Amino acid sequence: MNRQMALVIAAITVVIAVALTVFAWRAYEIATGRGEGSGSPRLAAAVKVGGPFELIDQTGRTVTEQDFKGTYMLIYFGYTFCPDVCPTELQDIAVAVDALGEAGERVTPIFITVDPARDTVEMIADYVAAFHPRMVGLTGDEESIKKVAKAYRVYYAKVDDEASSDYLVDHTSFIYLMGPDGEFETLFRYNTSPEDMAESIREILNDRG
Ligand code: NI
């Protein structure tokens, strides 16, 4: 493609990325009660986060959100080839879950790939095992991943590198806490310390008894 065309495509990509980031940020503000309009049920409904999914776990088993009913899901979307952000976030999740002690057993840390083409069941199995013994890794076909990402307002896009066959994937780096009925509880931004994360989760667990 020519240079002008490439620039147009780059510009459109940036606009979409910014729009999605603003949207995700707004969802975060509303979900956490920050920002104006957090009390609006109409807005809260408009940014509903989460929903049904059907994916394959690190043992090759097909699982849905129903398999996690009764437990809290601490969900992160990423990919195993991610050079920095994903490993940091997953490590923080593992530390936070352990910091909760016994209460942490009510929380299932879940990694969902946004790169199903490379993240096979075997890749995911090795990856999650490196972070936490109870971490669940989920992959699936392109359509299933697209669907669950959309439900969680997760933006992701492959970044082609013409110099190599490898590629990076741009993606949203929020960590979602979902309640025992699959309902949205809160989300954590990138760089939230494991201590703060554990503290917030502990409060939510205590509130629910
Ligand atoms: Ni990543």
Side-chain angles (χ1 to χ4, degrees), residues 81-159:
F81 288 84
C82 184
D84 43 31
V85 175
C86 288
T88 307
E89 293 289 87
L90 292 168
Q91 183 61 37
D92 287 354
I93 285 174
V95 171
V97 167
D98 283 343
L100 285 164
E102 215 170 286
E105 287 166 26
R106 293 164 67 191
V107 180
T108 307
I110 300 177
F111 166 77
I112 302 180
T113 185
V114 291
D115 184 18
R118 287 186 298 186
D119 284 342
T120 59
V121 167
E122 293 73 25
M123 288 292 298
I124 298 259
D126 287 345
Y127 195 64
V128 292
F131 292 101
H132 197 277
R134 288 197 302 105
M135 189 175 287
V136 172
L138 299 177
T139 185
D141 56 36
E142 297 279 351
E143 271 312 303
S144 308
I145 295 297
K146 199 184 278 181
K147 194 179 158 214
V148 67
K150 194 176 170 202
Y152 281 84
R153 316 283 166 184
V154 169
Y155 157 81
Y156 67 101
K158 201 168 138 177
V159 184

Side-chain angles (χ1 to χ4, degrees), residues 1-24:
M1 87 181 103
N2 65 37
R3 191 176 156 74
Q4 199 178 2
M5 189 70 182
L7 281 172
V8 168
I9 289 170
I12 290 169
T13 305
V14 166
V15 167
I16 291 171
V18 167
L20 283 162
T21 303
V22 167
F23 189 63

Side-chain angles (χ1 to χ4, degrees), residues 173-184:
S173 293
F174 289 139
I175 297 164
Y176 304 85
L177 181 71
M178 309 301 287
D181 292 314
E183 72 282 16
F184 175 79

Side-chain angles (χ1 to χ4, degrees), residues 181-195:
D181 292 314
E183 72 282 16
F184 175 79
E185 292 280 1
T186 191
L187 60 79
F188 303 103
R189 276 179 300 158
Y190 176 54
N191 268 342
T192 302
S193 75
E195 294 74 25

